Amino acid sequence: MKKKEISKIIVSKNGPYLISGKLPLDKQIVVEDKDNYPTRWKQGEKFPLQEKYALCRCGNSKHKPFCDGTHMKVKFPGTEVASNKPYIKQSSKTIGPDIYLTDAELFCSNAGFCHKAGGTWTLTQSDNSKARATAVQQACNCPSGRLTMWNKKTKKPIEPKFKQSISIIEEPTNNISGPIWVKGNIPIESEEKGTKYEIRNRVTLCRCGKSGNKPFCDGTHVEINFNDGDKDLQ
Ligand code: FES
């Protein structure tokens, strides 16, 4: 019997993300409430399952989210500057009564789930258990894993359950296209550095080409109004 290839992502040097191991690919849409706070995710388009594919990292492909080779024409400067240090070594802590929040700001993808009801940091420290439950939900909705909530007693992270899969994030109400959401502990390797990044349940990878923390998203797509041209999301 043919052995299943281990799923992984290779960040190619100045080129695309090379995905292997039959990883499902879809779009996930940020849904905002009436006050324009992001509150939940909506399933978007599902792409046909492929053994291997290449996702654009430079932001210039005419066939997004896939690479069409344009990165060579534009001489994409894709140098990876992200640290290989574990997330926990890059994060600060906010301590509440029965939970605590870790926060590594460098990974922020500006999805904005942490803003509502006074913000995840304030809610974490609240005496009100409902407020703390909201903080947990907000941290779990953070696609980049910048925010991670922990159980104070067990010292274990409170993580959403994900199957190994990849999602393209879209924010139609702001007309902005977001990063690549990597879910379910998929290994990410750097071709340029010859190293592996820490394997995490959720991270977001840059696809506008402009992040200052490549290969990870740092929210720059919001500043530059990155849009992949998908008009069909609402
Ligand atoms: S990385 Fe190949 S076209 Fe963008």
Side-chain angles (χ1 to χ4, degrees), residues 15-16 55-61 67-71:
L55 291 176
C56 175
R57 180 161 91 91
C58 72
N60 292 297
S61 171
C67 167
D68 68 353
T70 307
H71 60 273

Side-chain angles (χ1 to χ4, degrees), residues 172-229:
T173 46
N174 299 317
N175 211 21
I176 285 170
S177 295
I180 296 169
W181 190 7
V182 178
K183 294 176 278 186
N185 297 300
I186 301 170
I188 301 173
E189 299 177 7
S190 164
E191 181 185 67
E192 179 188 340
K193 298 196 278 185
T195 54
K196 295 176 182 175
Y197 292 100
E198 180 187 20
I199 295 177
R200 300 190 63 210
N201 186 36
R202 49 196 165 123
V203 293
T204 46
L205 294 171
C206 171
R207 73 180 183 109
C208 71
K210 304 284 190 220
S211 170
N213 191 35
K214 290 188 190 75
F216 299 105
C217 169
D218 72 349
T220 300
H221 59 276
V222 177
E223 281 156 44
I224 64 168
N225 287 317
F226 178 65
N227 187 302
D228 66 9

Side-chain angles (χ1 to χ4, degrees), residues 36-59:
N36 295 112
Y37 286 111
T39 46
R40 65 182 176 88
W41 293 97
K42 187 174 91 179
Q43 176 72 61
E45 178 184 357
K46 290 185 182 178
F47 294 89
L49 199 58
Q50 297 184 79
E51 185 66 48
K52 291 181 179 187
Y53 48 95
L55 291 176
C56 175
R57 180 161 91 91
C58 72

